[in-house]
């Protein structure tokens, strides 16, 4: 069971406010390029592909094929179908792929929804070719300093700190034969300023696991913090105020 229900309302909210605009993903493009060393003949499995933002980015950037595996029908419905993106129902513990058929696995903000990470790690091992990387984009407990939402809504860390830690994740994958190959923090940026974030923060609350657990009071105080900062920024767009840093963990 995922921590939240990705129904039609949540999927629409996710699509509207949680996809990072493509222009803000250039540092992810370069980080993934370094670790994946992509080629046009590759197939990448995007596990928990959501609304398909990364599936589309990978096919556009690297010309490879993506199998987007996603358990929620509402999220799958949001994925833009192209010749390079195959969309399949499934989850991390039951991947609808043959043995040793993929050249990489991508899991973005998914591992905290997976009920048994060890089972998933074994399943990922089954579908990957030997030596293929697992690329995990995640905010790990104790490593949330660069997470934008934690800056404005510090109590979101309460939930984020219950997610699988870096150590737990590496251990679960080690049991399936993977070792940690790299770990780095990668920045994404938003072209619009704080007023824009303030404008869609109610929708964001619907689409984000850590925001959902805030009390009304915590949410109100965070919004007030954001309102004051947006007023001070005076509508200016600063990469410093609108950026988010998450970990990229690479296992092989
Ligand atoms: C926060 S969203 C991330 C979506 C996408 N990866 C992204 O970064 O834009 C989490 C996604 O994981 C999916 N999910 C939940 N449980 C899962 C599981 N056990 N295996 C694979 N995906 C799962 C949800 O349906 C949801 O689409």
């Amino acid at each position: 069971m995922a921590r939240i229900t990705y129904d039609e309302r949540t999927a629409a909210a996710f699509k509207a406010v949680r996809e990072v605009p493509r222009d803000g993903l250039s540092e992810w493009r370069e980080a993934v390029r370094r670790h994946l060393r992509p080629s046009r003949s590759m197939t990448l499995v995007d596990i928990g592909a959501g609304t398909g933002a990364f599936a589309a980015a990978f096919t556009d950037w690297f010309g490879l094929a993506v199998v987007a595996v996603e358990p929620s029908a509402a999220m799958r419905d949001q994925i833009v179908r192209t010749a390079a993106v195959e969309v399949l129902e499934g989850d991390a513990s039951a991947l609808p792929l043959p043995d040793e058929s993929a050249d990489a696995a991508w899991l973005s903000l998914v591992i905290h929804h997976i009920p048994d990470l060890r089972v998933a790690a074994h399943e990922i091992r089954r579908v990957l070719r030997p030596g293929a990387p697992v690329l995990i984009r995640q905010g790990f407990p104790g490593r949330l300093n660069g997470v934008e939402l934690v800056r404005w809504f510090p109590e979101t860390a309460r939930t984020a700190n219950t997610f699988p830690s870096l150590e737990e994740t590496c251990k679960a994958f080690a049991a399936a034969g993977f070792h940690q190959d790299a770990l780095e923090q990668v920045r994404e940026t938003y072209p619009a300023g704080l007023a824009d974030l303030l404008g869609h923060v109610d929708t964001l609350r619907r689409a984000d696991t850590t925001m959902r657990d805030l009390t009304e009071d915590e949410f109100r105080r965070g919004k007030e913090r954001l309102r004051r900062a947006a007023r001070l920024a005076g509508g200016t767009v600063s990469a410093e105020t609108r950026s988010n840093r998450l970990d990229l963990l690479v296992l092989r």
Side-chain angles (χ1 to χ4, degrees), residues 143-214:
R143 300 177 56 90
L144 304 169
N145 288 350
V147 174
E148 183 183 38
L149 283 181
V150 175
R151 202 177 308 157
W152 308 114
F153 300 90
E155 295 88 358
T156 54
R158 188 175 54 224
T159 298
N161 279 326
T162 68
F163 292 176
S165 68
L166 178 60
E167 291 70 24
E168 285 162 349
T169 304
C170 288
K171 223 171 149 188
F173 278 83
F178 291 99
H179 68 273
Q180 181 179 328
D181 189 47
L183 175 70
E184 59 180 275
Q185 288 224 316
V186 183
R187 190 177 65 135
E188 55 216 29
T189 57
Y190 294 83
L194 291 174
D196 184 70
L197 176 59
L198 184 63
H200 65 232
V201 79
D202 290 281
T203 311
L204 194 59
R205 195 181 183 196
R206 228 175 286 141
D208 184 283
T209 308
T210 64
M211 292 280 282
R212 281 208 184 180
D213 285 348
L214 295 178

Side-chain angles (χ1 to χ4, degrees), residues 2 6 14 18 48-50 70-72 75 91-92 108-110 113 115 137:
Y6 285 94
F14 194 100
R18 286 217 43 210
E70 169 54 49
S72 151
M75 294 295 266
D91 65 56
S108 166
L109 303 179
V110 171
H113 292 298
R137 172 177 176 262

Side-chain angles (χ1 to χ4, degrees), residues 45-193:
V45 54
D46 183 352
I47 300 170
T51 53
F54 281 100
F58 292 149
T59 58
D60 290 349
W61 291 337
F62 307 134
L64 42 67
V66 172
V67 180
V69 177
E70 169 54 49
S72 151
M75 294 295 266
R76 282 199 308 278
D77 283 351
Q78 297 281 350
I79 300 177
V80 176
R81 268 61 170 180
T82 65
V85 178
E86 185 183 6
V87 181
L88 297 176
E89 180 178 4
D91 65 56
S93 310
L95 295 168
L97 279 89
D99 295 358
E100 298 190 8
S101 59
D103 302 289
W106 169 256
L107 295 97
S108 166
L109 303 179
V110 171
I111 60 167
H112 48 283
H113 292 298
I114 297 174
D116 189 331
L117 211 44
R118 277 180 178 244
V119 171
H122 278 94
E123 179 62 349
I124 293 168
R125 176 71 280 162
R126 180 185 70 75
V127 305
L128 288 188
R129 296 197 173 97
V134 180
L135 306 158
I136 296 179
R137 172 177 176 262
Q138 185 72 12
F140 289 105
R143 300 177 56 90
L144 304 169
N145 288 350
V147 174
E148 183 183 38
L149 283 181
V150 175
R151 202 177 308 157
W152 308 114
F153 300 90
E155 295 88 358
T156 54
R158 188 175 54 224
T159 298
N161 279 326
T162 68
F163 292 176
S165 68
L166 178 60
E167 291 70 24
E168 285 162 349
T169 304
C170 288
K171 223 171 149 188
F173 278 83
F178 291 99
H179 68 273
Q180 181 179 328
D181 189 47
L183 175 70
E184 59 180 275
Q185 288 224 316
V186 183
R187 190 177 65 135
E188 55 216 29
T189 57
Y190 294 83

Side-chain angles (χ1 to χ4, degrees), residues 1-49:
M1 274 289 280
R3 287 182 183 241
I4 63 173
T5 305
Y6 285 94
D7 56 13
E8 278 172 25
R9 197 156 175 254
T10 305
F14 194 100
K15 183 83 183 171
V17 299
R18 286 217 43 210
E19 288 188 356
V20 182
R22 184 73 65 83
D23 286 352
L25 287 173
S26 55
E27 294 184 27
W28 278 101
R29 185 187 62 223
E30 293 318 307
V32 171
R33 194 196 299 282
R34 268 198 314 282
H35 296 289
L36 178 61
R37 296 186 291 277
S39 73
R40 290 183 165 269
S41 61
M42 279 184 171
T43 298
L44 175 146
V45 54
D46 183 352
I47 300 170

